[in-house]
Amino acid sequence: MNPKVLELTKKSIKTELPKIQTGDTVKVTVRIKEGTKERNQNYEGTILKIKGGGVNKTFTVRKVFQGVGVERVFFLNSPKIEKITILRSGITRRAKLYYLRDRVGKATKLLEKLSSSKGSEGLPLEIIPEEGKLVEVI
Amino acid sequence: MSKPYRTRPEILGKKLGMTQVFNTDGEAIPVTVIELSENIVTAIKTPDKNGYAAIQIGANTKKESKLSKPKLGFLKKNSLPLLGYLKEFRAQDGELASYKVGEPVDLSKIIVENEKVDVSGKSIGKGFQGMVKLHNKHRGPKSHGSKSYRGPGSIGAHTTPGRVMPGKNMPARMGHEEITARNLKVVEFIKDKNLLLVKGAVPGAEGTLLTIRPSIKKWNGVAK
């Protein structure tokens, strides 16, 4: 890409973001405009993939809502994203977790990274976090 | 001068590439970044002298050794910078007074934020292409003993007329021709960096010389 174009996009690239990775369970706070009012909405799920680079970088968050899989793509540098909170980090062996689409229920759970026990929310590993899904620890 | 003609001011620029920007609502807009050239008026053609009214502008500064002798002579005679590319556009008789040789063109006429522009340039050359890619013909079947995969098929009837009709489309060279992308919205003009952002794609590869005009649809209503 032309350096002048890169320079142009630099101002819209966010610097203060948590380091997200595929397999992380995140809570994305999105600013939503309803008429004249603005409010924040949370969207929680697993990061399925991270794609692109620079100002074009996107990430896809997947969750199962009322038995239906929902995938939402966010621009990482979008001003609509208020903040991203990493709740848990899962162990992954690949960059794109498309295989999660074929899995149902408990099988969608990823093994949790041990280091993430010190993580933001401070959830102990043995306790079932939510939705009755068990996080296995070896 | 009896025939009325539509005149539009033109400026020249260079395509730098595509990216995206976020607008105030936080929506991502795909934009093409165009670096505007020098756009210096190099000559003014008047009806008295040349028989028509036009403005000649130049772009693309080059080394002296890279210019042809006739062009160099013309530029030096008028004490202009060493411009590699010169282009003319028609103007109304009354407009000529607002231009001066050796001075850059007033951009504010053409580039207004949220207004629309037409951008022309040479498209990327695709080489010699067949009927499927060039003329959007259908492909033949791949199986059942078929041998017509991507061929042109029949190109006409038999004894009558006994020849191929003129203008029959055939495999040919594709691309590398002047194409205009119309009604592109001006997203932003960065004056200090001389960069113009228009929404959407424009013809050509990165580095292509482009001509930027106010959109013909808008211009229809303003001037005749």
Side-chain angles (χ1 to χ4, degrees):
Chain A
M1 202 190 276
N2 193 297
K4 281 174 189 168
V5 181
L6 271 182
E7 178 86 32
L8 189 77
T9 56
K10 247 177 204 168
K11 64 169 193 277
S12 46
I13 291 175
K14 290 178 188 170
T15 47
E16 288 167 15
L17 278 174
K19 270 192 181 173
I20 54 164
Q21 282 179 323
T22 45
D24 288 357
T25 304
V26 289
K27 189 166 81 182
V28 186
T29 312
V30 192
R31 222 173 283 151
I32 284 181
K33 223 177 189 179
E34 284 173 337
T36 50
K37 272 186 192 170
E38 262 193 30
R39 64 179 183 86
N40 288 340
Q41 195 183 52
N42 287 335
Y43 183 86
E44 207 176 306
T46 317
I47 296 180
L48 202 73
K49 61 174 160 182
I50 299 170
K51 187 172 159 258
V55 76
N56 265 338
K57 202 170 193 176
T58 63
F59 62 102
T60 304
V61 182
R62 180 183 166 88
K63 71 170 178 184
V64 178
F65 180 71
Q66 293 182 349
V68 181
V70 180
E71 279 175 26
R72 200 166 157 187
V73 185
F74 297 99
F75 280 116
L76 189 67
N77 295 299
S78 169
K80 276 186 180 174
I81 292 180
E82 186 86 27
K83 67 176 176 194
I84 302 167
T85 322
I86 299 173
L87 306 178
R88 284 181 298 279
S89 296
I91 293 170
T92 57
R93 304 186 94 180
R94 53 211 78 219
K96 317 277 185 211
L97 309 178
Y98 296 135
Y99 65 88
L100 289 183
R101 287 172 178 165
D102 304 328
R103 297 198 175 178
V104 186
K106 201 171 161 183
T108 59
K109 240 18 195 194
L110 293 166
L111 273 180
E112 196 162 337
K113 275 182 191 168
L114 281 171
S115 58
S116 74
S117 61
K118 304 160 203 160
S120 49
E121 298 289 286
L123 284 166
L125 290 177
E126 284 80 13
I127 286 175
I128 304 155
E130 57 197 275
E131 297 166 43
K133 287 166 189 168
L134 190 74
V135 181
E136 290 174 351
V137 183
I138 300 164
Chain B
M1 300 303 296
S2 57
K3 202 177 158 193
Y5 50 85
R6 199 188 290 124
T7 62
R8 284 192 286 171
E10 289 178 3
I11 49 167
L12 300 164
K14 193 172 92 174
K15 179 173 172 178
L16 292 187
M18 288 193 75
T19 182
Q20 69 180 21
V21 291
F22 294 104
N23 68 3
T24 44
D25 288 342
E27 283 158 354
I29 304 166
V31 292
T32 307
V33 185
I34 300 169
E35 188 179 38
L36 295 181
S37 311
E38 297 87 348
N39 287 310
I40 292 164
V41 178
T42 50
I44 296 167
K45 310 249 162 140
T46 56
D48 302 337
K49 215 172 162 188
N50 308 87
Y52 64 99
I55 307 290
Q56 192 190 63
I57 52 170
N60 200 3
T61 315
K62 279 187 172 174
K63 270 195 269 179
E64 195 171 325
S65 57
K66 298 277 178 194
L67 285 170
S68 69
K69 287 267 169 66
K71 195 176 265 176
L72 201 64
F74 165 74
L75 294 170
K76 286 209 166 161
K77 195 172 117 192
N78 296 298
S79 56
L80 293 163
L82 302 173
L83 302 163
Y85 186 81
L86 302 174
K87 194 179 195 326
E88 220 176 80
F89 64 87
R90 287 288 186 105
Q92 305 275 7
D93 298 355
E95 288 177 341
L96 294 178
S98 61
Y99 294 94
K100 253 183 202 166
V101 173
E103 276 183 18
V105 179
D106 181 21
L107 299 174
S108 60
K109 262 186 192 172
I110 300 165
I111 296 160
V112 186
E113 243 163 73
N114 294 327
E115 287 288 343
K116 286 180 176 170
V117 289
D118 293 348
V119 180
S120 309
K122 275 242 164 86
S123 62
I124 297 172
K126 305 280 181 190
F128 191 87
Q129 293 298 334
M131 297 299 276
V132 177
K133 191 180 175 80
L134 182 54
H135 298 299
N136 299 324
K137 300 284 172 190
H138 289 289
R139 198 204 61 234
K142 281 179 171 173
S143 58
H144 299 292
S146 161
K147 287 176 184 173
S148 88
Y149 302 130
R150 293 173 72 92
S154 168
I155 57 166
H158 196 218
T159 320
T160 316
R163 62 193 167 92
V164 177
M165 288 302 194
K168 172 82 196 79
N169 44 25
M170 295 274 193
R173 286 205 181 168
M174 187 183 177
H176 196 64
E177 56 181 338
E178 191 81 6
I179 287 191
T180 305
R182 285 190 189 151
N183 298 327
L184 304 178
K185 195 173 162 190
V186 175
V187 176
E188 205 183 338
F189 175 52
I190 305 157
K191 213 167 187 181
D192 53 332
K193 285 176 190 163
N194 211 17
L195 295 178
L196 170 70
L197 309 188
V198 293
K199 187 178 174 182
V202 305
E206 287 169 15
T208 304
L209 191 79
L210 300 167
T211 312
I212 302 139
R213 274 167 254 134
S215 173
I216 194 159
K217 302 225 162 140
K218 174 214 160 192
W219 208 245
N220 272 336
V222 176
K224 274 167 200 137

